[in-house]
Amino acid sequence: MDLPPFLLDHWLAKYQFASPPIAFDLAASTGPKWTVGELLSLGTETSRLDDVTVSYAPAEGSSALREEIGEFLGVDPDWVVVTTGASEALSVLLCLAARPGGNVVLPSPAFPAFEAMANVWGLGARHYNMAREGNYRQSARDVLAAADGETVLALVNTPHNPTGAIMSPDETGTLAAALAERRVPLIVDEVYHPLYFGARPPSAASMSNVLVIGDMSKALSLAGLRMGWIVDADPERRKKIIDARSYFTISSSPVLEALATHALRYRETLLARLQAVAEENLAALSEHMERVADILAWVKPAGGTVAFPWFRDGRDSRPFCEALAAKGVLVAPGDCFAMPDHMRVGFAVLKGDQFAEALSILEGTLREHLRE
C-alpha cells in the first residue's frame, strides 16, 4: 500500500538534520540530551561496554533490561517484551490484532503514525474527539462511544502527544473494564510517563485488560537508544508478541540494551533533570502565552513535553512556522496533526537563556506575522 506522507517527520528532518541545524528547536518532543559519556559516568561503579558480545539478544530482551523496566513500572519483569522503540511496539500489537473489517479506536488529534500504521495492517480507524473546549479531556465514555462491533483495539495516550492532556487512573480503569466486557484490549501509550506537573499517577501496566507501550525516548530523554517495550500480563498473548518481534527485527542490539539497562538503574537522575527543565520552561511558556493571548489560545499541558496552542483567528499555522524557522526557531505546524490552525511547541530540550531567547523570537515573529 502507499503510506501517506509523514508530514511531521518531513518537517523535522528538513531543519533538525540541516547543516547547520536549526538554532532553537521547539519542535522536538523529547527532553534535554545526554551523551554516552554522561550516561556511563552515572553512579559509583564503573559501567563498561567492553565485554558486551556484539551478537543477537533474546527477542524479548535481556533479563537485566526487563528487570529494570519492570521496576520502573512496578510490574513483573516477565510481563515485559523489549521492542525497537514504541513504534515497533505499536506495530506488533496492530499486526496481531488485525482481521478483515476490524478497526482500532484512536484519539483525535494524535501522533500521526497511529492511524497510518493501523491502515498498513488493514485496520480501519475510528476516532474519539479530544475537544479543546473540554481541555482535551480523554474520557472513557467518548472512547466507548467510538467503538463498535468490529473494534479490535482501543488506544489512549497519556500524557498525550500533542496536547499534554492526561487520563486519570480511575478513568483508565473504568475504560479498561468496560472494554473487557466487549473483549477489546486497551493499549495505553505511556511514552511520557512519569512526567506530570501535578500528582504523579502510577503506570497503568498493572491494570487488567491493559497493554502498556512505552520507550526511553521521551520521559527518559534517550531517543537514540531506540529502546521501547510492551507490558502484557497475558502469557499466551505475550508468546505471540515475542514471536512477532522475532519476525520483525529478531532482537535489539545487545550494546544498546546494556546501555539502556545502565541508564534505567539511574532513571531518577534522568527523570529529575527532565522534570526540572520542563517545569521551569513550562512556567516561562505560560507567561509567554499570557503575553500573546490576543493572538494564540492554549490548554496548559498536565504532563509530557509538548503544548498545542492555536491561532484564535483560525489561520493556517504553516506560513507562520516557516517564517519562524527562517529566524532560527522551529515549532511543528498543526497540519502535521490534521489541525492546521494549531502548532506543536516542545518545551523540554532547550534550557535557561536559550529557551527564553527562543520565546522572545517567537513573540516578535508573531507580531510581525499579524501585521503582514
Side-chain angles (χ1 to χ4, degrees):
M1 68 171 293
D2 288 332
L3 282 166
F6 200 155
L7 296 181
L8 178 60
D9 268 22
H10 290 180
W11 176 263
L12 298 177
K14 177 179 178 180
Y15 295 100
Q16 291 176 336
F17 300 115
S19 183
I22 197 81
F24 301 101
D25 188 357
L26 299 184
S29 57
T30 54
K33 293 178 173 60
W34 291 81
T35 67
V36 172
E38 288 171 334
L39 287 178
L40 293 180
S41 71
L42 295 176
T44 56
E45 82 281 7
T46 301
S47 293
R48 298 177 61 84
L49 298 178
D50 304 36
D51 297 328
V52 176
T53 301
V54 186
S55 182
Y56 294 113
E60 67 273 24
S62 71
S63 59
L65 177 56
R66 289 185 293 110
E67 285 174 9
E68 293 299 334
I69 296 169
E71 285 190 18
F72 176 40
L73 300 176
V75 297
D76 186 331
D78 285 345
W79 295 4
V80 176
V81 179
V82 174
T83 60
T84 307
S87 55
E88 185 185 37
L90 177 66
S91 192
V92 164
L93 296 181
L94 293 171
C95 171
L96 293 176
R99 63 169 174 77
N103 68 66
V104 57
V105 173
L106 301 171
S108 178
F111 183 59
F114 289 164
E115 184 163 350
M117 293 311 298
N119 294 163
V120 163
W121 292 111
L123 291 168
R126 294 175 63 85
H127 303 94
Y128 58 95
N129 184 36
M130 296 174 59
R132 64 195 187 195
E133 295 79 11
N135 292 331
Y136 293 118
R137 179 173 178 264
Q138 296 183 88
S139 75
R141 182 184 62 187
D142 291 343
V143 179
L144 292 168
D148 66 10
E150 302 300 324
T151 298
V152 296
L153 291 171
L155 182 147
V156 298
N157 172 206
T158 179
H160 178 259
N161 177 8
T163 70
I166 62 174
M167 178 177 269
S168 72
D170 287 347
E171 194 81 2
T172 304
T174 297
L175 174 59
L179 287 170
E181 295 177 1
R182 306 185 189 190
R183 303 174 67 87
V184 174
L186 174 64
I187 300 174
V188 179
D189 177 343
E190 287 187 345
V191 295
Y192 285 110
H193 175 83
L195 179 61
Y196 303 95
F197 305 116
R200 182 187 283 190
S203 167
S206 297
M207 291 184 180
S208 180
N209 195 42
V210 166
L211 299 93
V212 159
I213 60 176
D215 66 20
M216 298 184 71
S217 299
K218 306 299 187 182
L220 291 162
S221 308
L222 298 174
L225 289 182
R226 305 307 307 134
M227 203 62 60
W229 51 79
I230 299 168
V231 180
D232 187 359
D234 185 320
E236 294 306 312
R237 189 167 52 201
R238 203 165 57 244
K239 289 178 184 177
K240 296 178 182 179
I241 290 171
I242 294 169
D243 272 342
R245 208 285 163 112
S246 297
Y247 280 119
F248 278 28
T249 49
I250 302 177
S251 73
S252 306
S253 159
V255 177
L256 296 181
E257 286 202 2
L259 189 54
T261 301
H262 171 78
L264 279 164
R265 290 188 183 124
Y266 298 98
R267 56 188 171 273
E268 292 305 324
T269 300
L270 275 65
L271 293 168
R273 180 166 126 174
L274 173 62
Q275 190 84 39
V277 171
E279 287 183 354
E280 179 180 347
N281 288 353
L282 182 57
L285 180 60
S286 298
E287 293 176 2
H288 163 81
M289 291 302 298
E290 289 180 8
R291 293 193 299 270
V292 299
D294 56 320
I295 305 172
L296 299 178
W298 78 324
V299 174
K300 187 175 181 180
T305 63
V306 292
F308 203 44
W310 64 91
F311 278 100
R312 288 187 179 275
D313 63 7
R315 71 178 61 200
D316 187 339
S317 73
R318 184 169 280 264
F320 165 72
C321 295
E322 291 170 342
L324 186 62
K327 296 192 175 184
V329 177
L330 191 66
V331 299
D335 58 16
C336 298
F337 301 90
M339 299 185 73
D341 57 337
H342 287 63
M343 66 187 86
R344 191 183 74 177
V345 179
F347 54 85
V349 172
L350 302 181
K351 293 184 283 186
D353 292 343
Q354 275 194 318
F355 189 70
E357 186 174 353
L359 289 182
S360 177
I361 296 170
L362 196 159
E363 182 175 354
T365 308
L366 270 175
R367 302 293 178 192
E368 293 174 10
H369 190 69
L370 283 187
R371 289 197 295 269
E372 294 176 356

